[in-house]
Amino acid sequence: MTFAFPPAPTVSVPVLGSGALFPVHRVYCVGRNYAEHAQEMGHTGREPPFFFMKPADAVLVVPPGSVTALPYPSLTSNFHHEIELVVAIGTGGKNITVEQAPSHIFGYAVGLDMTRRDLQNDMKAQGRPWCIGKGFDQSAPIGPITPKAAAGSISQAAIDLQVNGVQRQHGTIDQLIWNISETIAQLSAAWALQPGDLIYTGTPAGVGAVVRGDILNGSISGLTSIELKVS
Ligand code: MN
């Protein structure tokens, strides 16, 4: 049997320090996982973690040392940045425990959960799915993946986003409401995690809009920074 037409190429992200590519399976995202961001979105307290997905081909690879074009998407006039730590899964599993979770991690990267906030808010107000606000093309920029052993301790790392050289978002990974291991445990209770899954772990406070021409610089200490220009 042959395919009716050529299958889409495998989406992949470069792995730092090797010629290897990390083949992307699914892209999971955690909602409202920093307290101050939950508050700026009108919520309080520690609610159970909740998840949404982006299509794997929404990934936009940001090579190190480059300024990558980030297309301003259709249908929005409120295009928001959310800087996030991305956890790359190397070993799959179901019902992974918090204690087992670290052994399932392949590595980490700097990512952006770009959001059509106006459309997301419309969908929220109507009780409809967030897909159109979150899962659009090129909505998941990501830098190269640093293997876990080379990343050192990520749990206290600083996470920052600048727009045109001005700091918009700042936090530390230890401010996550649901930490990396807890997130993996909760996700794997709902889905069978697979090698190649990416988890965008949530954004600190300070989300806001960008316009064409803006330069975004995202960084997490210990990982490779990303730079994009809204085009
Ligand atoms: Mn997010």
Side-chain angles (χ1 to χ4, degrees):
M1 294 290 281
T2 59
F3 291 110
F5 50 85
T10 299
V11 175
S12 61
V13 181
V15 177
L16 210 66
S18 80
L21 296 171
F22 180 91
V24 178
H25 177 248
R26 290 180 182 165
V27 179
Y28 295 99
C29 302
V30 187
R32 298 196 286 265
N33 204 14
Y34 289 80
E36 283 180 31
H37 173 63
Q39 286 159 13
E40 76 181 350
M41 300 305 287
H43 300 268
T44 57
R46 191 192 205 218
E47 60 188 337
F50 69 93
F51 308 104
F52 57 91
M53 288 195 229
K54 296 181 186 243
D57 65 357
V59 164
L60 173 63
V61 172
V62 182
S66 76
V67 183
T68 296
L70 174 62
Y72 197 96
S74 62
L75 303 180
T76 186
S77 55
N78 198 13
F79 184 36
H80 269 210
H81 54 76
E82 297 191 359
I83 185 74
E84 308 204 357
L85 170 68
V86 182
V87 176
I89 296 296
T91 306
K94 291 202 279 191
N95 298 313
I96 298 166
T97 65
V98 169
E99 292 71 29
Q100 294 166 333
S103 69
H104 291 260
I105 297 171
F106 178 88
Y108 306 99
V110 178
L112 283 164
D113 165 17
M114 297 305 297
T115 302
R116 295 194 280 208
R117 190 73 72 199
D118 40 5
L119 298 183
Q120 183 201 20
N121 287 342
D122 286 350
M123 294 298 111
K124 274 187 195 175
Q126 299 181 65
R128 291 179 177 173
W130 290 9
C131 305
I132 199 168
K134 287 290 195 179
F136 52 95
D137 297 341
Q138 288 97 36
S139 61
I142 187 171
I145 294 171
T146 299
K148 181 173 57 175
S153 174
I154 207 76
S155 60
Q156 317 260 325
I159 177 168
D160 289 277
L161 182 80
Q162 294 186 348
V163 178
N164 303 327
V166 177
Q167 185 169 283
R168 290 270 193 96
Q169 294 188 263
H170 170 73
T172 53
I173 301 304
D174 61 9
Q175 295 169 337
L176 283 171
I177 296 172
W178 298 93
N179 69 28
I180 294 165
S181 291
E182 290 169 333
T183 296
I184 290 170
Q186 296 263 4
L187 260 181
S188 73
W191 292 275
L193 291 183
Q194 300 287 342
D197 287 339
L198 298 174
I199 306 169
Y200 283 62
T201 55
T203 198
V207 300
V210 290
V211 296
R212 285 190 180 84
D214 282 349
I215 300 284
L216 285 74
N217 285 91
S219 62
I220 297 173
S221 51
L223 304 181
T224 301
S225 300
I226 58 174
E227 183 167 1
L228 301 101
K229 182 176 185 178
V230 183
S231 60

